[in-house]
Amino acid sequence: MIVQRVVSPVNEVESWTVLDADGAPVAPIERYLAYLTRIERSPNTVKAYAHDLKDWFEFLSAEGLDWREVRLENVGEFVAWLRRPLHLRDGMIPVLPSVEHHCTESTVNRKLSALSAFYQHAVRHGIDLGELLRTWQLAGGRSSGWKPFLHHISKKTPQSRRAISLNAMRKLPRVVTVAEVQAILDACDHLRDRFLFAVLFDTGIRIGEALGLRHEDIAAAGSQITVQPRTNDNGARSKSRASRTIPVSAELVRLYADYLHLEYGDLDSDYVFVTLWGRPYGRPLTYAAVYDLVKRLRRRTGVDFDPHWYRHTAATRMLRDGVPIEVVSKLLGHADITTTTAVYGHLSVQDARKSLEEAGWFTDREVQL
């Protein structure tokens, strides 16, 4: 099986599908991926689901199982199959515990989430395997001190959870240091590129949101940028369904003005970031062009970075500077503050040491060690 990119001939919407050995779409996967596309899920999300479901159907094919008649035990076998190295997935050779797993715990959990969503959708087509990946427990039944808002109302109502999941270590978001940010900015040959990374650093918006910016979104007098969810010619997308306005520095506004005066000129385009030194001239900048630029900057600076790290950097910087987490959540465009808390509301060892030092923990000692 292979994952294949497809583009609608009607509206040029990008999506993905899974083809079997004969080159035909796998019907149940195609039905679900088409549904995700219709509800305007990101093409990257659809692509990830396509790869996850391809693995599931390849496993079923190897085991001779029908996707409509699987049991919970088969899901457990699928987890073991995912963890095996690719050349040992036929199960003919035992795998020692010391052998490195092919899929990490977090990757396995993501694939199980995809399966859960796939089978929940299949219920609408008469395939009722809802209990395959989800079980029910009373709200608050887990040993957690955190209780959601209005917990006292819902605590007696059963809530669903995944029946199988692996314990995965939570990774801290990758950030770019101040010195690395400066090195990357200084390595840019053009003001357009410098302004792009300056926007990411100053606002914490996603790269897709930056590539979708129009001139009308930048209010120079008010020193603010508005992110609008809209359809863009370059395929750039905003994950947020609502618009949001982000205050920016006067320095960023001056850089924008310099970019327009010295490079953009009288080009007639609504888009802020466009192709100026190549073809097609004047067209909005694409993801591919940005990642080519990132590769060049990595070689010049020796800094291994990704555009999304700027979002992590901005969020972490705001939280460390004392910006309330509800404000950070709004600026990032999160629909729920719990997302912000889960991803960014962490303390690194350095943060903890700084707090302890400010409290005099290491100096004002009553006991001599």
Side-chain angles (χ1 to χ4, degrees), residues 167-188:
N167 291 326
M169 293 182 60
R170 182 178 294 277
K171 295 182 179 179
L172 292 179
R174 300 291 297 273
V175 299
V176 191
T177 67
V178 171
E180 290 172 338
V181 169
Q182 192 64 61
I184 293 167
L185 290 175
D186 293 342
C188 292

Side-chain angles (χ1 to χ4, degrees), residues 45-185:
T45 298
V46 178
K47 181 181 179 181
Y49 273 87
H51 280 283
D52 296 339
L53 294 175
K54 177 186 78 73
D55 284 344
W56 172 241
F57 275 75
E58 283 184 341
F59 165 76
L60 296 178
S61 176
E63 298 295 323
L65 298 171
D66 189 314
W67 72 277
R68 295 159 294 190
E69 298 177 357
V70 291
R71 297 291 180 265
L72 189 61
E73 291 76 10
N74 302 131
V75 180
E77 294 165 356
F78 175 57
V79 171
W81 182 83
L82 288 172
R83 300 281 272 172
R84 283 174 169 266
L86 290 176
H87 63 286
L88 297 177
R89 282 186 171 175
D90 57 11
M92 301 299 293
I93 302 175
V95 178
L96 297 175
S98 58
V99 174
E100 183 177 357
H101 296 300
H102 177 68
C103 289
T104 64
E105 292 85 352
S106 57
T107 299
V108 171
N109 288 338
R110 190 202 71 211
K111 292 179 182 293
L112 292 178
S113 294
L115 287 191
S116 178
F118 168 74
Y119 277 106
Q120 288 178 53
H121 176 264
V123 171
R124 305 177 187 179
H125 300 274
I127 311 300
D128 191 3
L129 291 177
E131 298 301 314
L132 178 66
L133 291 168
R134 305 198 76 81
T135 59
W136 294 86
Q137 69 173 17
L138 291 179
R142 299 179 186 177
S143 56
S144 171
W146 179 85
K147 298 296 184 292
F149 182 60
L150 297 182
H151 165 73
H152 61 285
I153 295 177
S154 60
K155 64 181 180 180
K156 297 299 182 182
T157 304
Q159 296 181 348
S160 64
R161 65 178 179 86
R162 284 213 306 272
I164 296 178
S165 64
L166 300 183
N167 291 326
M169 293 182 60
R170 182 178 294 277
K171 295 182 179 179
L172 292 179
R174 300 291 297 273
V175 299
V176 191
T177 67
V178 171
E180 290 172 338
V181 169
Q182 192 64 61
I184 293 167
L185 290 175

